[in-house]
Amino acid sequence: MNKSDTNTRAAILNCLTEGMSIRATSRVTGASRGLVLRVLAMAGDFCEGYSFYRLRNLNVSRVEADEQWSFVGAKARNATQPGHGDVWTFCAIDADSKLVLSWLVGARSPENTRAFIADLAKRVSGRIQLTTDGFGGYLGAVRQGFEFGKVDFAQLIKSYGQSMESGPARRYSPPVCIGIEKIRRIGKPDMDLASTSYVERLNLNTRQNCRRFTRLTNAFSKSAENHARAVALNFFVHNFCRAHGTLTKAAGVKTTPAMAAGLTDRVWTVADIVARMDPETCYIK
């Protein structure tokens, strides 16, 4: 890949990871929509593959997990084509390093919940405290996915009420949390530390940085494959390329979640992704 191609691809990835749509990225960079989609495909495949092999034997103690809604093609009630409809992104984050440990894109089904939890269990070492929301599929999945004595599991269940808005504005007002309940499920979790705040903040960051998750827009995903690639790219950039404010050392050293977890010793750039994502030249280091 020549230098101009490298610069163009890096510019495309910068746009995509800063919340821009495919068409907006094409207009800003001057690249065709086809090239933008090809770069997304290559980068997403690299990010997913690198994360699959690199995120192993992670020494973590407190993990939060959640699932985030989006859709491909159309919402479930309006879907008319195969592959269109609601899609969920399961993700787990280390509460200390803010590293995204595992994710899965698919239906919010018992099968996918078990697959997600089983993948998480394979990536962590030692005993962890896990907190999820109140989704019913988690309890059986955690019992099946973790060996005995390897997890302390709690669920945090929120109660919601209607907002005070009235009239047409109420349609776009989110429900208001009016209370929470913490339930001990497995082992002896520290209930004072049972929380989903970090993973919910990760969900917010995803909606801000990945245009496909933005509500009330026409920049939704048109294919499940590209949706999964965009998710992989977003979480990879979160882990390796974005310094986290709460992790920055006293000396002012910018620290990413991957650095805090000991997976790398520097802040990656999108140019690093471009240099490794070409199937002919990529390598894992």
Side-chain angles (χ1 to χ4, degrees):
M1 142 185 357
N2 60 42
K3 185 175 181 180
S4 61
D5 285 341
T6 300
N7 292 338
T8 299
R9 295 180 185 195
I12 289 171
L13 291 185
N14 269 322
C15 290
L16 293 177
T17 56
E18 290 297 334
M20 296 181 67
S21 66
I22 298 295
R23 287 181 173 84
T25 298
S26 176
R27 291 193 296 269
V28 169
T29 63
S32 67
R33 287 178 55 203
L35 177 58
V36 173
L37 289 171
R38 288 195 296 274
V39 171
L40 170 63
M42 294 175 65
D45 289 345
F46 163 75
C47 292
E48 184 174 3
Y50 188 96
S51 299
F52 179 83
Y53 288 105
R54 194 73 179 91
L55 301 181
R56 297 284 180 179
N57 299 316
L58 301 170
N59 183 20
V60 300
S61 59
R62 187 158 56 99
V63 178
E64 300 177 9
D66 197 9
E67 64 284 350
Q68 185 175 20
W69 173 85
S70 53
F71 66 90
V72 171
K75 297 178 183 178
R77 63 177 179 271
N78 299 323
T80 59
Q81 300 181 27
H84 286 185
D86 295 349
V87 62
W88 294 79
T89 300
F90 293 82
C91 61
I93 187 173
D94 173 22
D96 296 316
S97 69
K98 312 303 183 293
L99 184 77
V100 179
L101 309 171
S102 175
W103 65 85
L104 183 147
V105 178
R108 196 189 193 204
S109 65
E111 295 78 14
N112 281 339
T113 308
R114 289 193 294 268
F116 165 64
I117 293 297
D119 182 72
L120 172 63
K122 294 176 182 177
R123 298 188 183 278
V124 299
S125 61
R127 186 169 186 148
I128 68 168
Q129 173 165 327
L130 173 64
T131 307
T132 71
D133 63 6
F135 179 47
Y138 281 122
L139 180 57
V142 173
R143 284 175 173 165
Q144 181 177 329
F146 282 87
E147 298 178 5
F148 179 78
K150 292 293 186 179
V151 65
D152 298 303
F153 176 44
Q155 285 189 294
L156 188 149
I157 302 174
K158 294 184 177 181
S159 302
Y160 291 94
Q162 294 295 331
S163 70
M164 299 302 294
E165 296 283 353
S166 61
R170 182 173 180 176
R171 177 181 179 185
Y172 302 107
S173 299
V176 178
C177 180
I178 59 176
I180 63 171
E181 179 184 9
K182 298 180 181 181
I183 301 177
R184 182 181 289 106
R185 294 297 193 187
I186 298 174
K188 298 180 179 179
D190 185 340
M191 301 307 288
D192 290 335
L193 298 178
S195 172
T196 56
S197 297
Y198 291 123
V199 72
E200 288 172 0
R201 175 62 199 217
L202 175 66
N203 290 343
L204 172 60
N205 289 346
T206 299
R207 291 207 180 276
Q208 291 177 321
N209 298 326
C210 188
R211 186 65 172 170
R212 296 162 186 268
F213 284 80
T214 305
R215 298 181 186 273
L216 302 177
T217 176
N218 61 358
F220 54 85
S221 291
K222 311 305 188 293
S223 73
E225 292 80 7
N226 283 341
H227 186 84
R229 287 162 171 162
V231 169
L233 174 62
N234 174 71
F235 287 150
F236 187 92
V237 170
H238 169 90
N239 283 342
F240 287 88
C241 301
R242 286 202 178 100
H244 198 285
T246 64
L247 301 176
T248 299
K249 299 178 182 178
V253 178
K254 294 183 177 180
T255 305
T256 64
M259 293 171 66
L263 299 178
T264 184
D265 59 358
R266 64 187 178 86
V267 179
W268 281 43
T269 67
V270 293
D272 293 316
I273 300 176
V274 172
R276 292 163 172 79
M277 71 185 189
D278 192 322
E280 297 182 358
T281 61
C282 73
Y283 60 92
I284 293 179
K285 180 178 180 181

